[in-house]
Amino acid sequence: MEKVIESFRTSFEALYLDIIDLMPNLLVSLFVLVVGIVIIRSLKSVVVNRLVSRSKDPVGARFLADILIFIFFIILVFIIFRTLGLSALTQTIIGAAGITTFIIGFALKDIGENFLAGIVMIFDRPFEMGDLIEIEGRIGRVIRISIRETTIKTVDGKDVYIPNSDIIKKHFINYTIDDQLRESFDISISNSNDIRQVIEIIYEVVAAVPHLLKTQKPTVTIKNFEGGTVQLSITYWYSLLGAQRRNALLKNEVMLAVIEKMKEDSIGFPNDVQDINIFKKD
């Protein structure tokens, strides 16, 4: 037992002496780390502002700025290694595995995967800044694209951070790639009406609603008929017009215009029929 305690004491003393010997380098390295982070953060704002202001492609410019800042951080790590007296280790890492392998290993697998996915997105461009997209049920405007993640602002004002690898791997919907969206709703009328005339009336009403796309004509089709009623399906196209959410108010406007015109022309609606079963109790 005494030998174990003595061995532990000797190891602890050796470790303590090593830390004392390394303390000056540790303090210098800590100072270099703090100063380096402050400088890199200051450079980041300058680089981003200059690249974005001078570039015709703000997304690509911001992505390039993120890559430059990432490289600055790697250089800072190498400087700290040298300050700690680990320059030989740094050369061994670079010579054995290569700088690219070291960066990806340093950034961990997920960060490296998101980084590569971000590069693919910059060249492929599945969406642009301000586009309305949906991924896994989350709908929002793209407000930022970085080397690791894409940020969207949802219709209820929340910022959602989506890893770039998820966007590459999973299905997503871009509602504004051509800024043409289709909406539809159904309405039931009595079959005692002149159905052809009703269809023509609804078509004219919907076509006259402001803010609808004139390049895509609305449609009014018979969806179903049974029990003395005819169900019509009305479809129209619209643009988001720069709105921050899908325009539900526009649908209200279209539906109100249709129902008001139908009431004005005394178009009959089906009565609410309920089946009542009467059982005789013995």
Side-chain angles (χ1 to χ4, degrees), residues 16-32 80 82-85:
Y16 175 76
L17 293 175
D18 289 340
I19 293 176
I20 294 298
D21 292 338
L22 194 60
M23 185 61 66
N25 290 344
L26 286 174
L27 294 176
V28 173
S29 299
L30 180 61
F31 176 77
V32 171
I80 292 175
R82 179 173 291 275
T83 305
L84 288 172

Side-chain angles (χ1 to χ4, degrees), residues 78 87-102:
F78 288 158
S87 58
L89 175 60
T90 305
Q91 294 176 1
T92 301
I93 293 175
I94 296 176
I99 184 66
T100 302
T101 305
F102 174 72

Side-chain angles (χ1 to χ4, degrees), residues 10-282:
T10 303
S11 300
F12 180 79
E13 290 177 353
L15 177 62
Y16 175 76
L17 293 175
D18 289 340
I19 293 176
I20 294 298
D21 292 338
L22 194 60
M23 185 61 66
N25 290 344
L26 286 174
L27 294 176
V28 173
S29 299
L30 180 61
F31 176 77
V32 171
L33 176 63
V34 173
V35 173
I37 291 176
V38 172
I39 294 175
I40 289 176
R41 287 185 175 180
S42 300
L43 286 175
K44 181 177 180 179
S45 60
V46 174
V47 171
V48 170
N49 292 335
R50 289 193 175 184
L51 286 178
V52 172
S53 62
R54 297 182 180 181
S55 176
K56 296 181 179 179
D57 183 7
V59 176
R62 187 176 294 276
F63 189 81
L64 178 60
D66 288 341
I67 293 178
L68 291 176
I69 298 302
F70 188 74
I71 293 175
F72 290 157
F73 272 110
I74 296 301
I75 295 175
L76 177 61
V77 171
F78 288 158
I79 293 175
I80 292 175
F81 278 178
R82 179 173 291 275
T83 305
L84 288 172
L86 302 176
S87 58
L89 175 60
T90 305
Q91 294 176 1
T92 301
I93 293 175
I94 296 176
I99 184 66
T100 302
T101 305
F102 174 72
I103 291 175
I104 295 177
F106 178 79
L108 303 177
K109 177 179 178 298
D110 292 339
I111 295 179
E113 186 178 15
N114 291 326
F115 175 81
L116 296 176
I119 294 178
V120 173
M121 287 170 52
I122 288 298
F123 288 100
D124 189 34
R125 289 299 178 86
F127 48 77
E128 299 288 346
M129 294 287 291
D131 279 359
L132 183 69
I133 67 171
E134 177 181 354
I135 179 169
E136 293 190 321
R138 294 170 292 191
I139 302 176
R141 290 273 186 178
V142 179
I143 60 175
R144 188 174 186 274
I145 303 174
S146 67
I147 61 176
R148 293 181 301 173
E149 62 199 9
T150 296
T151 307
I152 65 173
K153 184 172 287 293
T154 62
V155 294
D156 55 356
K158 297 177 182 177
D159 289 353
V160 179
Y161 301 91
I162 304 174
N164 290 333
S165 59
D166 285 354
I167 296 177
I168 295 297
K169 293 178 181 179
K170 299 176 181 178
H171 297 289
F172 75 94
I173 301 172
N174 188 339
Y175 290 103
T176 51
I177 191 169
D178 56 3
D179 205 19
Q180 294 185 357
L181 295 177
R182 188 182 69 177
E183 188 63 84
S184 64
F185 61 93
D186 298 336
I187 189 169
S188 296
I189 61 174
S190 173
N191 63 4
S192 60
N193 296 286
D194 186 338
I195 306 301
R196 293 182 183 271
Q197 183 181 6
V198 173
I199 291 177
E200 184 177 348
I201 291 173
I202 294 177
Y203 176 83
E204 292 177 354
V205 171
V206 175
V209 174
H211 308 310
L212 298 186
L213 290 178
K214 305 305 178 183
T215 55
Q216 299 279 359
K217 296 183 179 300
T219 60
V220 183
T221 57
I222 299 176
K223 186 176 182 179
N224 194 11
F225 54 90
E226 61 180 353
T229 65
V230 177
Q231 189 176 27
L232 302 177
S233 179
I234 298 94
T235 302
Y236 60 91
W237 294 79
Y238 68 100
S239 169
L240 287 175
L241 304 173
Q244 293 298 313
R245 59 188 176 84
R246 298 176 74 180
N247 202 339
L249 296 178
L250 181 59
K251 184 174 183 179
N252 288 345
E253 185 178 346
V254 175
M255 297 180 71
L256 286 173
V258 170
I259 195 69
E260 288 171 358
K261 181 61 177 176
M262 294 178 70
K263 288 183 176 180
E264 180 183 337
D265 292 353
S266 300
I267 296 175
F269 292 92
N271 295 322
D272 187 13
V273 178
Q274 297 181 350
D275 294 332
I276 300 177
N277 296 320
I278 300 177
F279 297 93
K280 185 177 180 181
K281 188 177 180 181
D282 296 335

